[in-house]
Amino acid sequence: LMSRTGFTTYNATAMPATVRAITGVAQFNRRDTTTRYTIVGTQEKLFVAPPSGAWTTLASSLGGGVNDYWDFTVFNNELICVNGVSTPQITDGTAGGTGELTGRVWTAMTASLASTSQSSGMKGADGSLLNPGGNGNGADPSNISQEYIVSGDSWVSRSRSVVVKLFGGAFLQYGNMYVASGDNTGHSARLTTVELYQFATDTWRGATAITNARQYVEGLSINNSGNVVAGTTTNDLTGGTALNQQYDPANDSWKQ
């Protein structure tokens, strides 16, 4: 298995025995850890491919026949595997969390936010949701952060962000949440500040500022970059912009 950057070897260890072709490779952060996993699928099995050393078999049989070519997509930090014949499969990166998609059921979640708050862009990561900043009952923005734990159906308070803002654009990359731009206290100006939240340490720190300040923006995670799209440059719904700016977390830089 090779990585694209200069075609360097990703893992020199041969994959476990399989008689069928590789049909997909995907990466995602496993639900129970911040570790980024590479999953390789064949027509019959799923494997975890670490950067070096032995591979791990996630599923020894996907239930497909010799002509069943699987497609893979990552959704909510889980890998969904589908083809035209067999039951769809889903994995969270663990053998115990790998099985038929039809085995999952809908669960009603009832917990309310610990503090009333609008958001600077709530996003999900590793089995939870983070609601950063926002305001309550029409007041000025706050730097309150709250995390929803899906497994326990509960909200908990997290470290407050350094910058107070509202209606920023949030996106996830490499297990961190980034919140870019937004509106400040007093609704007097749009901000260029960018902060990232580290789930593992419950801490905030600054990142390179975005070049165009706005609010009501949408944050999107695409491949290995974050995108901040559209928004308004004023304190109301006029002054809209179609601008899209892209953030490279590896180099801590923006482009448009």
Side-chain angles (χ1 to χ4, degrees):
L1 188 65
M2 311 287 284
S3 64
R4 183 179 178 183
T5 54
F7 296 99
T8 57
T9 300
Y10 179 81
N11 188 331
T13 304
M15 66 188 302
T18 180
V19 296
R20 296 173 183 169
I22 292 177
T23 61
V25 179
Q27 285 191 324
F28 67 100
N29 293 335
R30 208 172 76 180
R31 292 171 64 93
D32 61 348
T33 179
T34 57
T35 303
R36 193 161 180 81
Y37 281 75
T38 299
I39 306 295
V40 177
T42 71
Q43 287 178 257
E44 61 178 358
K45 300 179 181 180
L46 285 178
F47 303 99
V48 175
S52 62
W55 298 38
T56 300
T57 302
L58 276 181
S60 59
S61 174
L62 290 175
V66 71
N67 295 317
D68 296 339
Y69 291 90
W70 295 82
D71 285 325
F72 303 94
T73 187
V74 176
F75 176 74
N76 193 28
N77 290 326
E78 293 184 293
L79 183 69
I80 312 296
C81 318
V82 296
N83 66 20
V85 178
S86 306
T87 302
Q89 304 287 312
I90 185 169
T91 179
D92 61 7
T94 65
T98 302
E100 294 184 357
L101 183 60
T102 53
R104 302 296 180 90
V105 296
W106 290 94
T107 302
M109 298 299 186
T110 58
S112 299
L113 284 161
S115 300
T116 302
S117 177
Q118 292 180 342
S119 177
S120 282
M122 183 165 60
K123 299 292 181 182
D126 300 322
S128 67
L129 299 170
L130 186 71
N131 185 56
N135 70 355
N137 300 321
D140 281 340
S142 74
N143 59 353
I144 294 174
S145 296
Q146 302 173 85
E147 184 177 11
Y148 177 72
I149 310 300
V150 175
S151 60
D153 187 20
S154 62
W155 288 90
V156 294
S157 296
R158 294 304 184 203
S159 295
R160 291 174 176 250
S161 61
V162 178
V163 179
V164 175
K165 66 172 62 179
L166 176 66
F167 301 135
F171 56 86
L172 297 167
Q173 279 298 327
Y174 299 108
N176 300 319
M177 170 180 274
Y178 292 79
V179 182
S181 204
D183 187 29
N184 72 346
T185 301
H187 306 285
S188 60
R190 267 42 64 203
L191 303 172
T192 60
T193 55
V194 179
E195 289 185 284
L196 71 89
Y197 176 79
Q198 296 175 298
F199 284 85
T201 59
D202 185 28
T203 56
W204 290 87
R205 67 176 177 85
T208 297
I210 195 169
T211 53
N212 295 84
R214 50 219 151 106
Q215 63 173 333
Y216 300 118
V217 294
E218 179 64 33
L220 303 168
S221 300
I222 303 175
N223 294 330
N224 293 322
S225 68
N227 288 257
V228 175
V229 184
T232 176
T233 58
T234 68
N235 190 33
D236 53 35
L237 297 180
T238 64
T241 175
L243 182 66
N244 173 42
Q245 290 184 267
Q246 187 176 75
Y247 177 75
D248 180 356
N251 298 312
D252 188 25
S253 61
W254 290 88
K255 67 178 182 180
Q256 63 185 56

